[in-house]
Amino acid sequence: MTDTSVSRPQGPAPAPLPPSRWNRYIAAVTGRRSKWAVLAAWVLVLMVAGGFAAKLSQVQDNDPASWLPADSQSTRAVEIAERHFADHDRATAVVVYTRDGGLTPADLAKADADRRTAPGATAATRSADGKAVLFSAPVPMASNDNTVLGDAVDKLRKTTSAGAPSGLDIRVTGQAGTIADYIDAYSGMDGALLGVTLAIVTLVLLVTYRSPVLWLVPLLATFLGTWIAMGVVYLLAKHADLKVDGQSSYVLTVLALGVGTDYALLLIARYREELGRRADRHEAMAHALHRCLPAVTASAATVVIASLCLVFGKMNNTQGLGPVIAIGVAVVCLAAVSLLPALLICLGRWVFWPRRPTVQATRSDGGPWRRLATAIDARPRRIWVGTALVLAALAAASFTLDSGQRLDEQFTKTTDAIAGQRQIGRHFAAGSSEPADIYVADAQAATTVARAAKVPGVAAVAKERSSGGYTHLTAVFADEPDTPSARATVTRVRDALDGSGAVVGGQTAVALDTSHAQGTEEAVLIPLILAVVLAMLVLLLRAVTASLLLIASVVLSYGAALGLAGLLYRALGHPHIDRGLLLFGFLFLVALGIDYTIFLMSRAREEAHLHGHRAGIRDGLSLTGGVITSAGLVLAATFSVLVVLPTVGALQQGLLIAGGVLLDTLVVRSLLVPALALDAGKRIWWPTRIED
């Protein structure tokens, strides 16, 4: 018979917590005197590490060539340039001047004057149709200081636009222009993104708690944890060679705030429940921590260990992203289980005003989540089969995703570099803005020029200079850089030069090598992350069957999220993705998606030991439904702020994670998992024995 009761006796207050390592920690955090020491320790850490957080953008390296694996030809090309060529620390800017009606003498004079003021500029090249002229110039760059290249390109753009004849279109493109556009896209965004994310979290907390005071406490604890994590990452990037780019920086901000708030919501919900049983707030918090600490730490440990798997990736930025995520999650988790409890105890019950919890004789189990649990219990098989079919249908749409994202598709608006590349494509060989770099031994230079020039898709090959026994050649492609046809040309050139010792680099080669490395990462890291998540579930739930079913549910949820995201991308006019999105999405949706299932099933297991399997599943959903839904909304909302960034990659990441978290929260955790658990019966806890 289905239990539809709306309350259950609280019963006598449980005995004091038994001595254990966990409970000694809990006693220190919740002690009447030691809680003040906890607060003092956090203030001290904030003073030491927090001061470096604002400098995080200063250590970002957004040059794609620096992310590549050591064994790629593109990386070897960079190493040869650094070792033998004095201008390796420079990027090439291409300045293109166009007028649809044909260049005038004044236009040509302006281009020539600009060229003469640009140190190291090449001779000007005029298009056959007489409508465009271009020249290239080296721009200084420093791997640890984005302002060097950014300032140089900004100065070049201002110089070339000053005093231009009316109607003359002037663009700065090439490698330097593209990198500068990325720097501009992320410049100052750390503070703006932090502010927008805080605003969204604040709104959700206000709606959740409906209290003018309570929302400040978890927000403060989570913000301080995030700020300290940013400071730690800065120090490691500055002094321990941790790779940090624009992506890992904004992921740290959004993820730490979202995950930290999730942990805070879970703890506060359990604390409020315990305040209904105990008059003493110190005891209430001690028992709240005792009950939810395993779930919170298991959740955080799952994300930390899964993210650290990224250090086995081939891409340098993948290897750097793992520790950044791990640091952020670890610090905000520590804040949630130490700083937040101490703050709440110090503030007392009044912080919950106007819904100040009082000691009650019964525990309320009513509300919509009890009604949903009862409805699922009545027809579990029909619900989980129907839900699984809907998710599978969405997952089928993921096969329409296309990873062939081009350079001109990487920004949500047309940047100066993209506009310049398009102008070059109209009037010159499309690859003129980003020639491929070929480095070969001097003795092979002449033969290499002849062989490369015969490759289909190569418009021209030129000898630039020789140094240290190597000759630098440039190959202009007929197709635009970073397009499938240009990547195919790189492959043909490499095949044609095989055995000569030549290495082929440049922007298109970087894109090709990146795609190959990302494919290798997917094959290695996805199974590794799954194994980590499965192991953590088994350790927490002590149930092999449940862990396998839960893993299957999150994989299905990931596929559905990809399909849903793909439909949204096409609707927004950004159908092509960067291949790295697949691994990025898998890590976050599996490692984070399992969080909510951990919260649900750990509470269900606790209740099942007291009241039996079916009642335990119903109680688990009833008691955690509201708080987990709020947590999911917070995390989805925080990731949705990525759509404000001007890059398509950030927009797609935000939509994928936000949509996936909502699917996991509202469909997988609320319908699929409890229905599966109820239909499977008590054998889902095997090898643990639990009564019906």
Side-chain angles (χ1 to χ4, degrees), residues 63-83 88 175 314-316 434-439 472 477 482 486-487 490-491 494 501-517:
D63 181 4
S66 67
W67 306 341
L68 289 167
D71 60 352
S72 72
Q73 277 205 38
S74 298
T75 301
R76 286 157 55 200
V78 171
E79 291 172 347
I80 292 172
E82 290 178 346
R83 189 179 304 118
H88 67 84
Q175 180 192 24
K314 292 180 67 66
M315 301 283 291
N316 288 330
E434 287 288 349
D437 295 309
I438 303 175
Y439 295 94
H472 177 207
F477 293 168
D482 197 13
R487 295 185 190 187
V490 171
T491 301
R494 285 175 171 174
V503 295
V504 181
Q507 177 181 302
T508 303
V510 166
L512 178 65
D513 292 341
T514 297
S515 180
H516 289 165

Side-chain angles (χ1 to χ4, degrees), residues 578-590:
D578 178 83
R579 187 167 182 173
L581 180 69
L582 301 178
L583 178 60
F584 179 94
F586 185 85
L587 170 67
F588 285 98
L589 291 180
V590 172

Side-chain angles (χ1 to χ4, degrees), residues 440-451 463 466 470-473:
V440 65
D442 291 339
Q444 299 289 331
T447 304
T448 300
V449 170
R451 291 167 65 181
K463 180 180 176 181
S466 297
Y470 282 89
T471 297
H472 177 207
L473 310 176

Side-chain angles (χ1 to χ4, degrees), residues 40-63:
W42 275 98
V43 171
L44 181 62
V45 172
L46 180 64
M47 293 172 61
V48 174
F52 299 105
K55 300 180 180 181
L56 183 57
S57 61
Q58 298 177 10
V59 293
Q60 293 178 13
D61 184 357
N62 292 308
D63 181 4

Side-chain angles (χ1 to χ4, degrees), residues 162-179:
S166 177
L168 179 64
D169 186 81
I170 306 173
R171 305 288 180 175
V172 177
T173 182
Q175 180 192 24
T178 301
I179 296 174

Side-chain angles (χ1 to χ4, degrees), residues 295 298-299 302 537 540 594-603:
S299 170
T302 299
L537 283 173
L540 175 68
I594 206 69
D595 279 6
Y596 304 127
T597 302
I598 285 176
F599 296 160
L600 167 66
M601 294 302 286
S602 61
R603 185 61 187 266

Side-chain angles (χ1 to χ4, degrees), residues 554-635:
V554 296
V555 171
L556 179 60
S557 178
Y558 167 69
L562 275 182
L564 176 62
L567 297 176
L568 291 175
Y569 299 160
R570 292 186 179 277
L572 294 173
H574 304 295
H576 301 123
I577 66 169
D578 178 83
R579 187 167 182 173
L581 180 69
L582 301 178
L583 178 60
F584 179 94
F586 185 85
L587 170 67
F588 285 98
L589 291 180
V590 172
L592 293 179
I594 206 69
D595 279 6
Y596 304 127
T597 302
I598 285 176
F599 296 160
L600 167 66
M601 294 302 286
S602 61
R603 185 61 187 266
R605 185 178 184 274
E606 177 186 335
E607 297 294 328
H609 277 292
L610 297 174
H611 309 295
H613 169 69
R614 303 193 72 84
I617 298 297
R618 292 194 303 268
D619 287 349
L621 180 58
S622 307
L623 296 170
T624 65
V627 64
I628 295 178
T629 300
S630 297
L633 291 175
V634 167
L635 195 59

